[in-house]
Amino acid sequence: MKTRIFKSFVELTGSPVSSALLKQVTTSRISKPLIKPFASFYHIQVDEAEYPIEHYKSLNDFFTRSLRTGKRPIDSNQKTLISPVDGVLSDSGIIDTQQQFSVKDKTYSLASLLGGTEKAARYTNGYYYLFYLSPRHYHHFHYPISGTLINRYALGSTSYPVNDLGIRMRNDVFSSNHRVISELLTDYGHVAVVKVGALNVNSVRIANSETTCEKGQDFGHFAFGSTVILFIEQNDVFKPEKISFTEVQVGDRIGEWQS
């Protein structure tokens, strides 16, 4: 029974009715008794949370928790690109000349994801990383490199699960789901941070809209399971770390500009 309940939190369809019901239950105080079994079921490291587990008033309150200061050391080398999230780096690779990239043997259009060929053009022949956040992960996202926020916009409305099943079942899950794109201008070119919501409840929450962005800075969180995709503008001196299908944490080095 417990397994079925918790899986329903992250494997619902994109139905507005079921998603609204999920939001109502998980943000209510009636969900507080579920926090400890939820943390146990997903093996969440509760000692990293900003507050003791008893402090959180609802399941969503716990799910969107911040961490204690110092729990995610940030690689301070200004030339390194860091992971923006805790999660599984489930795919990475080159964006081809047709503005396409591949995830689990399926091809996706960068233009559809970003909302147009013009927006996608600067990332042609660049590099991408895809991170999947499961319920056990810390769900805040951080800037992967310092720079200036030059664009932020939202696309999509309906959202479907972005776990392995959701990716296998739909060919357009990333380009149809609600998503928020933050584009940075850095010393090494453009970097786009795409936050893809997993359920039809506007699950991407932006907490910081300052235009000056520092590497490692927390600028928002997901309310439910989610995916983050990074797109790096082509740069001949950028060298990615070969660490696909690996657990990563905020602050871990995933690439470097070697110039």
Side-chain angles (χ1 to χ4, degrees), residues 23 157 159 178 180 197 199-205 223:
K23 180 180 180 180
S157 54
S159 292
H178 173 70
V180 177
L199 290 169
N200 196 0
V201 288
N202 189 22
S203 63
V204 183
R205 310 290 171 79

Side-chain angles (χ1 to χ4, degrees), residues 118-136:
E118 188 173 332
K119 289 184 173 67
R122 63 168 52 102
Y123 299 102
T124 302
N125 295 319
Y127 203 81
Y128 75 92
Y129 298 86
L130 187 143
F131 305 87
Y132 169 65
L133 285 68
S134 76
R136 73 178 183 276

Side-chain angles (χ1 to χ4, degrees), residues 2-18:
K2 187 188 300 183
T3 299
R4 289 199 298 271
I5 291 173
F6 292 148
K7 283 190 173 182
S8 71
F9 292 156
V10 293
E11 294 180 359
L12 291 176
T13 68
S15 165
V17 175
S18 59

Side-chain angles (χ1 to χ4, degrees), residues 42-242:
Y42 284 111
H43 306 290
I44 293 171
Q45 294 180 292
V46 295
D47 60 316
E48 292 187 335
E50 183 179 16
Y51 302 108
I53 197 168
E54 294 79 13
H55 168 88
Y56 299 97
K57 297 177 174 59
S58 69
L59 186 58
N60 184 257
D61 192 26
F62 174 70
F63 192 88
T64 59
R65 66 197 176 278
S66 296
L67 299 183
R68 287 162 48 197
T69 301
K71 283 297 179 180
R72 294 294 180 270
I74 305 301
D75 187 314
S76 60
N77 186 334
Q78 65 177 3
K79 294 183 179 182
T80 60
L81 181 74
I82 64 167
S83 174
V85 292
D86 284 13
V88 177
L89 178 52
S90 59
D91 229 318
S92 62
I94 302 293
I95 304 159
D96 68 24
T97 56
Q98 303 302 309
Q99 299 179 354
Q100 295 177 330
F101 63 101
S102 298
V103 177
K104 297 188 182 301
D105 299 321
K106 285 191 175 183
T107 300
Y108 293 88
S109 165
L110 181 57
S112 296
L113 181 65
L114 296 184
T117 55
E118 188 173 332
K119 289 184 173 67
R122 63 168 52 102
Y123 299 102
T124 302
N125 295 319
Y127 203 81
Y128 75 92
Y129 298 86
L130 187 143
F131 305 87
Y132 169 65
L133 285 68
S134 76
R136 73 178 183 276
H137 290 119
Y138 161 64
H139 269 66
H140 287 231
F141 38 81
H142 299 241
Y143 287 119
I145 188 71
S146 296
T148 301
L149 180 68
I150 59 171
N151 202 4
R152 176 172 288 149
Y153 57 100
L155 296 171
S157 54
T158 301
S159 292
Y160 295 89
V162 289
N163 53 19
D164 284 349
L165 178 61
I167 293 173
R168 289 197 302 268
M169 293 292 289
R170 294 186 62 87
N171 291 322
D172 62 346
V173 63
F174 300 124
S175 57
S176 64
N177 273 25
H178 173 70
R179 57 205 182 277
V180 177
I181 297 97
S182 301
E183 190 169 27
L184 308 181
L185 179 59
T186 78
D187 289 343
Y188 310 102
H190 293 80
V191 174
V193 187
V194 183
K195 288 79 65 184
V196 184
L199 290 169
N200 196 0
V201 288
N202 189 22
S203 63
V204 183
R205 310 290 171 79
I206 300 298
N208 188 325
S209 296
E210 296 176 5
T211 56
T212 299
C213 310
E214 295 185 11
K215 182 165 67 172
Q217 180 183 0
D218 181 351
F219 70 103
H221 67 264
F222 292 100
F224 294 98
S226 44
T227 290
V228 168
I229 313 176
L230 285 186
F231 296 103
I232 314 300
E233 186 174 12
Q234 182 186 17
N235 187 310
D236 292 338
V237 297
F238 179 71
K239 303 298 180 184
E241 297 283 330
K242 301 297 184 181

